[in-house]
Amino acid sequence: MSRFLSDNVSGAHPEIVQALLEANEQNSAPYGDDPYSDALDQIFSEFFGTPVSVIPCLSGTAANALAISLVAGATQSVYVHQDSHIYQDECNAPEFYSCARLIPFTDVDSIGSAKLTQEMFKAIEGRKGDRHSVQAAAISIAQINELGELYQPDEIRALADYAHGQGLKLHMDGARFANAVAALDCHPADISWRSGVDILSFGATKNGCFGAEAVVLFNPQQKQEAKYRAKRAGQLVSKMRFVSAQLLAYIKNDLWIRNARVANLAAEKLAKQLSQFTDIKAETPKANMLYVTLPAFMTTVLNKAELSGYFEEVENNLYSMRLCTSWDTRDEDIEVFIKTLQAAVLDNN
Amino acid sequence: MSRFLSDNVSGAHPEIVQALLEANEQNSAPYGDDPYSDALDQIFSEFFGTPVSVIPCLSGTAANALAISLVAGATQSVYVHQDSHIYQDECNAPEFYSCARLIPFTDVDSIGSAKLTQEMFKAIEGRKGDRHSVQAAAISIAQINELGELYQPDEIRALADYAHGQGLKLHMDGARFANAVAALDCHPADISWRSGVDILSFGATKNGCFGAEAVVLFNPQQKQEAKYRAKRAGQLVSKMRFVSAQLLAYIKNDLWIRNARVANLAAEKLAKQLSQFTDIKAETPKANMLYVTLPAFMTTVLNKAELSGYFEEVENNLYSMRLCTSWDTRDEDIEVFIKTLQAAVLDNN
Amino acid sequence: MSRFLSDNVSGAHPEIVQALLEANEQNSAPYGDDPYSDALDQIFSEFFGTPVSVIPCLSGTAANALAISLVAGATQSVYVHQDSHIYQDECNAPEFYSCARLIPFTDVDSIGSAKLTQEMFKAIEGRKGDRHSVQAAAISIAQINELGELYQPDEIRALADYAHGQGLKLHMDGARFANAVAALDCHPADISWRSGVDILSFGATKNGCFGAEAVVLFNPQQKQEAKYRAKRAGQLVSKMRFVSAQLLAYIKNDLWIRNARVANLAAEKLAKQLSQFTDIKAETPKANMLYVTLPAFMTTVLNKAELSGYFEEVENNLYSMRLCTSWDTRDEDIEVFIKTLQAAVLDNN
Amino acid sequence: MSRFLSDNVSGAHPEIVQALLEANEQNSAPYGDDPYSDALDQIFSEFFGTPVSVIPCLSGTAANALAISLVAGATQSVYVHQDSHIYQDECNAPEFYSCARLIPFTDVDSIGSAKLTQEMFKAIEGRKGDRHSVQAAAISIAQINELGELYQPDEIRALADYAHGQGLKLHMDGARFANAVAALDCHPADISWRSGVDILSFGATKNGCFGAEAVVLFNPQQKQEAKYRAKRAGQLVSKMRFVSAQLLAYIKNDLWIRNARVANLAAEKLAKQLSQFTDIKAETPKANMLYVTLPAFMTTVLNKAELSGYFEEVENNLYSMRLCTSWDTRDEDIEVFIKTLQAAVLDNN
């Protein structure tokens, strides 16, 4: 299994393991009425520097879908990028949970970045008040996004200001939120509520947990509705303490940012090493994900060596490949990858 | 936290812990494309003695709702007992996943047992072909059920035969399936497919896992649809191996039945000890759940000592209390419980 | 076709026909942007003596379902009588439109009347704040109801006061609202907003239209959401003027109450005539619907003569039959019915 | 009200009026159990030359949404053109009825025609078997479509062959089906089942009815499911005979094609007359809808004279305007339109 396929291939960090084992040492009330779950709101409020409510979730899909259901309903829509994970890879979960429509948007400027642009605003306003169309209720962005790109705080602010001016909410898919904070070297607040984000899907699984995600409500009054929605969606587990304990350990002692920094640094190293190959075109990674274009023979070799990321042919004999680094990527992993490519080049000449 | 509140208060069994740690030793492909998840169908097919497909789920709610969505759709209904967990305690999840209606049924014979009776058949047939009503598509029962009762194999068979004769499916909520098998001292097949069950919610969390449930499809051809439905519902987690590894360890080396036997035996011991109290009326438990009626003063004392189960006042000064035992209930736990009651009696006289 | 099967067997009243033909004399803007539709809010506000908004609908099912979707959502429930039309005969439409659950209620006092009683309040409060259960959001009653019964204004008031005290809304299924007003000889306001009804399904089809129903919003601010929901549900027709013109003509010149009085009077006459038969047990009708019990031989004869209403065997050889009168029921119709029964009695002796 | 705004501005044809009045002469069983509704399947089967089942609907939105719900479900998708009415103007109704996603498609070749091209096939196949994405279940096209364009029978055939080869169904939105048949001078079968269409939304309202649409099932076995779905959606009206009677009269004596020919011919005449204006660019209409580009001053004048169609600014001072003709468009109507433009030109010079 390629270590660069996804950060999801990594397991849980020892501190998370430890937290789980400790939570298993004594009995606890079920369905979230346990001390770990009780502590979440407080700990996350401190983390974000503002009062928040937290709904633990079991999957990123569920966190995204639940969050969307809290900002858009049956007669409404959510604007997303055409290439966004939430539109392309959630198998209709956001629509299922919310009854809203996701409206995919793209323009020439956003091809290759999957970042929403102000061009979208025309589309939103074009149907305002038109009874034949669902009405825009929210905009959803990913940070870092599906193509490894970052939104700067002021870019988020601009989207949020527009959204709020139109009566819309701004959702952020933060499956790799920690990597974004590490990359921007900012406070978690800077790219969330302080930039106008109303609701956040907070990912922890990829960055060192067994399985723990959360919806963070910057409007804590939504908690009541959110709790029932989570239960109805099958996201209230009986032994919730084991999810909450992971989330607490993830925040405690800065594990989240330590892990994210390791992953981001590994991506940087990998990109640097890749620059030695004239056949490979690799952009400097923004966080822990990089997209490279490489010739067919390299793709074949990497694939055979179980080292490739997700790839697709972009033109004849040329492939685009996504490479992800993780909290447990080691220098040796990069070394093996590079040596495999070096050998492939030799063989190919 | 009372050990008798629920079997959900117990943590994970050491063998489950071990399996999780082992699964964490190496990287693995995400989203269920891992060796643990790949093995599920085979292992469960051996377990049940017939080819099955397995969809891992994160919560019992999700397993029930997903299962219901595979046997009933938007223009259909599922008949359930008025007091069933699936009707009373899933916050509309089965309706959400399936778009079907759950129709609650009760009659005088089933009050106090929550077991469906043949009286229900009239209700089902009364609306057959009536365009103004959703059409019956399934019957759902729990084994053991919400009141700790058991369906004998021939009772299941009778419901299944009727259901199949009417073109309906039979779903079983097996949140405590292992306890039922242990209590009946039968093969898992005897109270599932061999008795006509079409689809089973298979619980493992209560009986010794951190968090692992499954939908077992006795018609493996439903797997394709089930997989997409699970993903759409947010039940496909990225590090699925950690769920699947629990399920495998739960089946392996008979952990499931060993744990269930401990729990059932504990309930029996508890009931026996309770028989010394003239004030307490306790039925012989069928598996690991017993309902007792006891006077107010006892309820108060147990509650204060954090030893009570869920209770409600049934008549003046008389309470009904549910007590659950678990895979980790020890003789000392029962002893403490009994001594607390003995002291309460002394104090009360 | 038996005239007594339902008031739906009657066609449209000449004044409705005339209104339709007039509306057809000139072109008009589509999708409700026509003068007829524009006038609805004003005319209905005058009718009810309070500002209302009106959403025309094409079927009673749609009016009920749309209304329910405006008072209850995905994590909520609506309490209804077990025998109510909205629960038994709408094929899940209210659940479909609203995502809420309808919770059927009955108690010994309400069998035979289908009227909700205060017993229901316990059920509502029992799950308040319980995360495992949908939360009560509304109560729905029918006026006149499915068994031909009437709620007195103070009975509605009591339900409304309770509902509002709990933060719930009160919905009224007024498929035969005009018959209720005629029977109570009151103002339309007396059994709607003035008694605390929040939202009303207003029926006109049965009482003399081709096809015209409406949701009346006593909180006019719901109009925006209601309009989009109606469109999404397929209830916004392109030539809406033909629906709205019927509703206007129905209100104008008191057609609604004139028609309802004819129907109610016919039911009274029918009941009086039926009292001559010792074999028949008929209660005094409250409005235009009466339930009679009669022996099998009478049911057979009526059925053969195409004069029967909906019937079912209640005990051996004894049938319960619903008889409906309508705006176009004539004395001759009653005469034929009675003579048929007289002949049946002679034949039977 | 401009006669050219939409064919929906026209009222009902005298033959439809007559049919409605006749249906009103006698009582009839409710909810579609009447002779008119009973005759639909037979009459439409003759009309199409193949056995079909017919579900009457009250709106085009409902017909489209119901049809979609019969070809795609919760884990599936329907491919449609980005500019299609079904995607842009149904306020989520198809998603609501079906739980499926509509996937909007466009490419450079289809801009300006809104016709689906084979480019779409790549998008469909790209997600086949990918669990993270809903799976394609159907393709939906409109005939004539939103931009007044026609699919030739062989174009439909090509889409159908592809769809069927992939296990997909082909839906046709036939809101203006009659205009398409008239334009192509073909048999209704030629552009429906004989070209591979599986299910058709059959419009009659625009072309001379008060309000009557239908879903035509070329697989009559879907009727059972369709009936319950229609009821659940609020599309089963109590006095269904008045809808069915319109549909019968619409088919009888070729009213449908007579009306469509009048409308199409009027569009042709209008386009011809418009060719005299050098400022106006008008394409030859394919059926009864034409899109013209015209300068701002003309748009203003037409708007003031209540003669304009829907319009939008396409570039500075240049407007695109849709003009629709109808079964009751008269030569005088065209004359008034042209004279208004001629006067505008004079004024402008």
Side-chain angles (χ1 to χ4, degrees), chain A residues 10 12 24 59 97 205 233-234 239, chain B residues 12 24 59 97 205 233-234 239 241:
Chain A
S10 300
N24 196 34
S59 68
Y97 277 47
T205 308
K239 299 185 178 175
Chain B
N24 196 34
S59 69
Y97 278 47
T205 307
K239 298 186 178 174
R241 57 195 176 277

Side-chain angles (χ1 to χ4, degrees), chain C residues 72-111:
Chain C
T75 61
Q76 300 181 313
S77 64
V78 181
Y79 279 77
V80 299
H81 195 275
Q82 166 77 32
D83 296 330
S84 63
H85 181 89
I86 207 170
Y87 185 69
Q88 292 292 349
D89 294 302
E90 302 290 33
C91 200
N92 240 17
E95 289 98 323
F96 175 41
Y97 278 46
S98 70
C99 295
R101 175 187 279 184
L102 299 195
I103 296 186
F105 181 81
T106 192
D107 63 13
V108 283
D109 292 339
S110 73
I111 294 174

Side-chain angles (χ1 to χ4, degrees), chain C residues 273-285:
Chain C
Q273 291 281 349
L274 288 171
S275 67
Q276 73 188 259
F277 299 97
T278 50
D279 276 351
I280 295 180
K281 198 179 135 194
E283 292 189 22
T284 309

Side-chain angles (χ1 to χ4, degrees), chain B residues 82-104:
Chain B
Q82 166 77 31
D83 297 328
S84 62
H85 181 90
I86 206 169
Y87 185 69
Q88 293 291 350
D89 294 302
E90 301 290 34
C91 200
N92 239 18
E95 289 97 323
F96 175 41
Y97 278 47
S98 70
C99 296
R101 175 187 280 184
L102 298 196
I103 296 186

Side-chain angles (χ1 to χ4, degrees), chain A residues 1 3 8-12 20 24 27-28 58-59 61 89 93 96-97 205 209 231-234 237-239 241, chain B residues 3 8-12 20 24 27-29 58-59 61 89 93 96-97 205 209 231-234 237-239 241:
Chain A
M1 172 46 44
R3 285 191 159 261
N8 277 320
V9 305
S10 300
L20 195 76
N24 196 34
N27 288 357
S28 213
L58 278 299
S59 68
T61 303
D89 294 302
F96 175 41
Y97 277 47
T205 308
C209 289
K231 166 68 186 178
R232 170 181 177 253
V237 296
S238 52
K239 299 185 178 175
R241 58 196 177 276
Chain B
R3 286 191 158 259
N8 276 321
V9 305
S10 301
L20 196 76
N24 196 34
N27 288 356
S28 213
L58 277 299
S59 69
T61 303
D89 294 302
F96 175 41
Y97 278 47
T205 307
C209 289
K231 166 69 187 177
R232 169 182 177 253
V237 296
S238 53
K239 298 186 178 174
R241 57 195 176 277

